[in-house]
Amino acid sequence: MDNYTFFVVARVLHVLGVVLWIGGVAFVTTVLISAIKQQPDTESRYQLFESLEGRFALQAKITTLITGISGFYMTQILDGWDRFLRIEFWWMHLMVLVWLIFTLVLFVFEPLFLHRWFEQQAQTNSDRTFRVIHRMHIILLTLSLITVAGAVAGSHGLLLFM
């Protein structure tokens, strides 16, 4: 395969990774957490969340890796590193920031302390814990959607701040 074919495959994997990853975040944020918060049995909320969201965690880990690797590869092939020095490519900075936040949460913070903290908080005050978790997911989803919109517009020529 030539470089062009590899680039196209990388772009396809990148877009599919983002769709599965951010689409999953949208589902967890707008459907799953909202439904769990309405469950009257506060004791089972945590268990239900863990069993359902835990299945998405593996998908999120795989898709963030695919997205990061393919994004790095495309930037390298395009020799696009100088774009990080230009404000009109703000969406590339945001892509890296969103990717970094999720990667740190999934691979570092979650295993080190977030999982334990969430379980303790959910047992102490389930209502408050799920409000906080929901708020954090809304913030991350909003940032992710702004990033996706900016990346689509920017990669098709709409460059702001020129």
Side-chain angles (χ1 to χ4, degrees):
M1 281 198 285
D2 61 359
N3 280 348
Y4 179 75
T5 304
F6 276 120
F7 182 83
V8 170
V9 169
R11 180 169 276 172
V12 167
L13 290 173
H14 194 74
V15 170
L16 288 175
V18 169
V19 167
L20 290 171
W21 163 28
I22 304 304
V25 172
F27 173 78
V28 168
T29 304
T30 62
V31 177
L32 182 63
I33 296 175
S34 297
I36 289 175
K37 281 174 37 180
Q38 294 176 0
Q39 293 297 313
D41 182 10
T42 59
E43 305 253 337
S44 65
R45 283 182 191 165
Y46 172 77
Q47 296 302 325
L48 180 59
F49 181 79
E50 279 295 302
S51 69
L52 297 175
E53 198 269 344
R55 294 174 190 237
F56 172 63
L58 179 60
Q59 175 183 319
K61 286 178 179 178
I62 292 169
T63 55
T64 55
L65 285 175
I66 289 169
T67 302
I69 292 167
S70 59
F72 177 85
Y73 176 80
M74 289 187 298
T75 304
Q76 183 66 29
I77 288 297
L78 291 173
D79 193 23
W81 299 108
D82 65 317
R83 292 179 178 188
F84 289 103
L85 301 174
R86 299 170 52 195
I87 190 69
E88 62 264 28
F89 293 102
W90 61 271
W91 47 273
M92 288 187 65
H93 301 87
L94 216 45
M95 282 196 297
V96 172
L97 176 65
V98 167
W99 178 83
L100 186 61
I101 290 169
F102 277 96
T103 299
L104 285 172
V105 168
L106 290 168
F107 291 100
V108 180
F109 301 154
E110 175 77 16
L112 284 180
F113 66 89
L114 271 182
H115 186 80
R116 208 169 31 257
W117 174 86
F118 177 60
E119 182 177 13
Q120 291 169 347
Q121 296 302 309
Q123 291 172 354
T124 304
N125 188 338
S126 181
D127 289 335
R128 183 179 147 306
T129 301
F130 276 96
R131 271 195 314 274
V132 169
I133 294 297
H134 197 202
R135 212 171 289 129
M136 294 308 298
H137 274 79
I138 289 169
I139 291 167
L140 289 172
L141 177 60
T142 301
L143 184 61
S144 299
L145 293 176
I146 291 168
T147 304
V148 168
V152 170
S155 66
H156 288 279
L158 180 60
L159 300 178
L160 304 177
F161 312 115
M162 286 186 69

